[in-house]
Amino acid sequence: MRSVSQTPLSVDEYGARIAALVPATPVVSLPVADCLGRVLGEDLVSPVALPPFDNSAMDGYAVRSADVTGAGRQAAVVLPVEEDIPAGRTDVVPLLPGTAHRIMTGAALPPGADAVAKVEDTDGDQRQVSVYAPVAPGTHIRHAGEDVAEGATVLKAGTVLGPAQLGLAAAIGRAELPVHRPARVLVLSTGTELVAPGKPLLHGQIYESNSVLLAAALREVGAVPTVLRSVPDDVDAFHAAIAEQTARVDLMVTSGGVSAGAYEVVKDALNGRGVEFVRVAMQPGGPQGCGHLGSLPVVTLPGNPVSTALSFELFLRPALLAAMGHQDTARARTRARTTTELRSPAGKRQYRRSQHAGGTVTPVGGPGSHLLASFAAADCLIEVPEGVTVIAEGEEVEVVLLR
């Protein structure tokens, strides 16, 4: 007999089960270039100051401000140019009174200089420069440590690493960062009727799309999928397909084979092995399953493509994000008025594919779990509570934003 819960679980109850099932990934050290979108696992402390030395904010001339007091267009101060300091020069020579050093943006300020006269306020000469405007002490100088002090915490654990954060990490000299490792997920799409896209179809066959959808959804949240496509409806073939993969992943996700009929290979293969099959009070996507195969967490999704996509959105997406260190795991929500009447089955939480604009929301297609084109066209979901069977046109509804 199959292990199937007869009492439907609520969406929230089942979501809590999946959240508890998906294991947190360890913190590992990855190259900075591979950390985009990852979550920092430890506070990042700077071993250097930024800038690490006083440097010029302008192309111009390093001077002593006292030497150019009173300079003007009609009374230029003329100074001999003793040194040329391009960015990257390390043997900076001290500036003597009554002289100037030509200096480029980012170059180290020479000892003795307290200002930079920008090149636009000079005649630009490389041997004897005429300065046409006075400069106050500190003018056009980037001071050491004014951005980051040595020993300062620049990024907190839990920070999601975007381009600016990775640039900062590189600026303080970090080649690698401690981040939550991407979750490794084995994806199985089951069904003898499934054919890989690009091959000819026979009558009674359909193209396999769920593994493409799930792999893309996993990559979008930062997980790493391994895909086994079109596993036949045969228990031995199912176990043979996963035998070499289960030790290499953190989670196995299947689609299909979990309903109440015959040839439900996922149920047949996992029944009595630690996976419980349940019904969730939702439409679409009622038949679900989760548990462990040995020590490997397993989530079994229904096979209709919209049910697969919605189940990932509601249950796996937030669980995986949390497992990889993210604190903000929920989709944004809003309230809007529906442009048409909606009907929902009693006792189930319905999710209707919709488009949101200007404070209104319009359903796209019907509620059927096979209508994938309407899911692709939707930018949001209308969430109809379990106790509501009719929503009138113009009534305000809860909207889950997908984009």
Side-chain angles (χ1 to χ4, degrees), residues 323-397:
M324 294 185 289
H326 290 265
Q327 297 174 12
D328 185 7
T329 64
R331 290 285 196 186
R333 289 173 174 252
T334 189
R335 302 282 293 179
R337 297 192 181 278
T338 181
T339 60
T340 187
E341 179 184 89
L342 296 175
R343 293 185 177 271
S344 180
K348 293 185 178 182
R349 189 180 302 182
Q350 187 186 64
Y351 291 88
R352 292 292 298 270
R353 289 138 275 177
S354 305
Q355 293 177 342
H356 174 261
T360 63
V361 62
T362 302
V364 180
S369 59
H370 63 295
L371 302 175
L372 184 57
S374 61
F375 202 105
D379 60 14
C380 65
L381 299 168
I382 295 175
E383 184 180 76
V384 184
E386 290 87 336
V388 176
T389 58
V390 178
I391 293 177
E393 179 182 345
E395 189 173 342
E396 193 174 69
V397 292

Side-chain angles (χ1 to χ4, degrees), residues 6 17 29 53 96 113 158 219 234 313 317 328 335 338 342 345 353 359 366 368 384 397:
Q6 300 301 316
R17 286 195 183 190
S29 185
F53 48 83
L96 299 177
R219 293 189 188 98
D234 178 85
E313 273 293 325
R317 184 181 184 275
D328 185 7
R335 302 282 293 179
T338 181
L342 296 175
R353 289 138 275 177
V384 184
V397 292

Side-chain angles (χ1 to χ4, degrees), residues 193 202-206:
E193 78 279 12
L202 299 178
H203 184 69
Q205 295 180 326
I206 61 172

Side-chain angles (χ1 to χ4, degrees), residues 208-220:
E208 194 281 312
S209 61
N210 282 353
S211 70
V212 175
L213 185 155
L214 287 171
L218 287 163
R219 293 189 188 98
E220 187 176 52

Side-chain angles (χ1 to χ4, degrees), residues 114-117 134-141 143:
D114 66 354
V116 172
V135 286
T139 300
H140 304 316
I141 294 175
H143 293 285

Side-chain angles (χ1 to χ4, degrees), residues 288-311:
Q288 302 279 344
C290 66
H292 288 85
L293 179 62
S295 61
L296 179 66
V298 176
V299 176
T300 67
L301 306 179
N304 278 319
V306 175
S307 297
T308 299
L310 179 62
S311 299

